[in-house]
Amino acid sequence: MCLFCDIIEGKIPSNKVYEDDKVLCFRDINPVAPTHVLVVPKKHYDDILDISKAEDGAEYLGAVANGISKVAEADNLGNGFRVINNCGEDGGQTVKHVHFHVIGGVKLTEKMI
Ligand code: AMP
Ligand code: ZN
């Protein structure tokens, strides 16, 4: 069982921002900024390493990039935003289905890099 696979299949409700055949973008349940959307490939890959190794990974990563731009458009993030991918234990990944946090709607000051 994977939480995000269940959300993709509609078994668990989500607040959708954008969706196509390869990607689902929905609002994070615990937002850290006015916009906090998760961009999730509709096919299960554990993490960025897994998707980068897969034969169809580039196709899904392209869909992720498009999903990010749709979220930016939907939430009027023309002034900028941040994309974060947590990978593995040291990266603090809690859901083992690769996803990208799109964070914005406010001037982001807490920069690690
Ligand atoms: P990460 O820590 O990078 O693996 O991110 C997992 C994210 O999923 C966290 O920011 C959670 O708040 C979010 N999350 C967990 N359950 C749900 C849910 N049911 N709907 C939306 N977001 C969720
Ligand atoms: Zn999954």
Side-chain angles (χ1 to χ4, degrees):
M1 180 254 169
C2 164
L3 175 64
F4 287 174
C5 281
D6 281 352
I7 288 176
I8 289 159
E9 285 169 28
K11 292 181 194 158
I12 296 173
S14 67
N15 192 346
K16 290 179 196 174
V17 179
Y18 173 78
E19 152 170 55
D20 60 31
D21 61 323
K22 290 205 167 49
V23 80
L24 178 64
C25 308
F26 56 93
R27 298 199 186 277
D28 197 291
I29 207 167
N30 190 17
V32 299
T35 288
H36 185 170
V37 174
L38 300 173
V39 177
V40 184
K42 283 191 171 176
K43 186 168 172 184
H44 182 99
Y45 303 95
D46 293 342
D47 56 27
I48 190 85
L49 301 176
D50 194 21
I51 196 170
S52 68
K53 278 184 283 200
E55 210 166 298
D56 53 5
E59 217 177 304
Y60 279 88
L61 283 169
V64 163
N66 179 59
I68 290 167
S69 74
K70 299 291 189 200
V71 169
E73 206 176 295
D75 274 18
N76 297 307
L77 302 181
N79 212 35
F81 58 91
R82 195 169 290 161
V83 180
I84 295 172
N85 169 251
N86 295 321
C87 181
E89 199 179 331
D90 282 4
Q93 182 179 3
T94 60
V95 178
K96 313 293 185 206
H97 181 135
V98 68
H99 55 280
F100 298 82
H101 300 253
V102 176
I103 293 165
V106 69
K107 176 105 180 139
L108 298 164
T109 52
E110 287 173 38
K111 284 193 76 180
M112 181 177 269
I113 52 160

Coordinates of all heavy atoms in Angstrom, one line a residue, residues 2 4-5 44 97, ligand 2:
C2 N 0.5 2.2 -0.9 CA 1.2 3.5 -0.9 C 0.2 4.6 -0.8 O -0.8 4.6 -1.6 CB 2.0 3.6 -2.2 SG 2.6 5.2 -2.6
F4 N 0.2 7.7 -1.8 CA 0.0 8.6 -3.0 C -0.7 7.7 -4.1 O -1.4 8.3 -4.9 CB 1.3 9.2 -3.4 CG 1.7 10.4 -2.5 CD1 2.9 11.0 -2.7 CD2 0.9 10.8 -1.5 CE1 3.3 12.1 -1.9 CE2 1.3 11.9 -0.6 CZ 2.5 12.5 -0.8
C5 N -0.4 6.4 -4.2 CA -1.1 5.6 -5.1 C -2.6 5.6 -4.8 O -3.4 5.6 -5.7 CB -0.5 4.2 -5.2 SG 1.0 4.0 -6.1
H44 N 4.0 4.6 -9.9 CA 4.7 4.6 -8.7 C 6.2 4.4 -8.9 O 6.7 3.4 -9.6 CB 4.3 3.4 -7.8 CG 5.0 3.4 -6.5 ND1 4.6 3.9 -5.3 CD2 6.3 2.9 -6.2 CE1 5.5 3.8 -4.4 NE2 6.5 3.2 -4.9
H97 N 6.9 7.6 -2.4 CA 6.4 7.7 -3.8 C 6.9 9.0 -4.3 O 6.5 10.1 -3.7 CB 4.9 7.6 -3.9 CG 4.2 7.7 -5.2 ND1 3.2 6.8 -5.6 CD2 4.4 8.5 -6.3 CE1 2.9 7.1 -6.9 NE2 3.6 8.2 -7.3
Ligands
ZN2 ZN 2.8 4.9 -4.9

